[in-house]
Amino acid sequence: MKLVWSLIAGLGGLFFAVGLVLFAVDLQFFADARRTEGEVIDLRFTSKGGGAPDVAWADHLGRDHVHRSNIYSRPSYRLGDRAIIAFDPDEPENATIDSPTNRWLLPGIFGGIGFVHLSVGSFALLRRARRRREIVWLLREGQRVDATVTTITQDTSIRVNRRSPWVIHCQATLPGEAVARTFVSRRFWYDPGPHLRRPTLSVCYDPRSPERHVVDTGDLDPRRALFTRAS
């Protein structure tokens, strides 16, 4: 799963960077652009009713141009509507309608998607790193209790390569408690049952907060056979 979250965070960072670049380019363009007023002479519609206008306008040298917008809006423009055109005086063909949508749509899409994926991926990686540090501490400093293995099942909430990982369920009654607790091991990408050497496993827990615990699975490697086919 670390690879998955790393890819999500990496793609999020890439999209966010693209959004920032588009934002900077648009900011520079609109800061340097000249503006003039044009007239909507045609409209192109989608099946859902959104319309994109064709705007006729003249540059600072009196040359006529038609800007065909690629941004469909709803409600759309109407024929004869006036629209402000921002254009590069050195390259008048480089022109667009000066509106908030035309300014910020693409930077907002790329930046928004990137920010969400970067945040989710980074949060998952940080949480994973925190859990790994917690496991190291629990294995070294936690109180141990023998837990009886009850079942070994597959976690069907996760699928990789059409396969779901296995988890070991075990039970133990902690000192001072009358009811046995159920503990669940980390995930395995193979059936760990045949590799268990005894019917119990050690559970390392924080006596101040037993919810913080880890099942010590010893030599069992949870990453083994991740991408192999089930026999």
Side-chain angles (χ1 to χ4, degrees), residues 149-219:
V149 175
T150 54
T151 57
I152 300 174
T153 60
Q154 286 185 283
D155 183 358
T156 56
S157 65
I158 298 175
R159 291 185 65 83
V160 175
N161 228 22
R162 298 183 179 180
R163 299 178 57 202
S164 296
W166 299 77
V167 291
I168 303 171
H169 299 258
C170 49
Q171 286 188 339
T173 303
L174 301 185
E177 297 185 353
V179 180
R181 290 176 178 256
T182 298
F183 303 94
V184 181
S185 73
R186 66 182 68 186
R187 300 181 181 96
F188 295 84
W189 292 99
Y190 62 98
D191 183 359
H195 303 275
L196 292 175
R197 299 176 181 176
R198 53 196 180 92
T200 62
L201 290 172
S202 291
V203 174
C204 306
Y205 68 96
D206 183 349
R208 297 167 299 180
S209 178
E211 289 73 19
R212 297 179 60 204
H213 63 265
V214 62
V215 178
D216 186 356
T217 52
D219 297 332

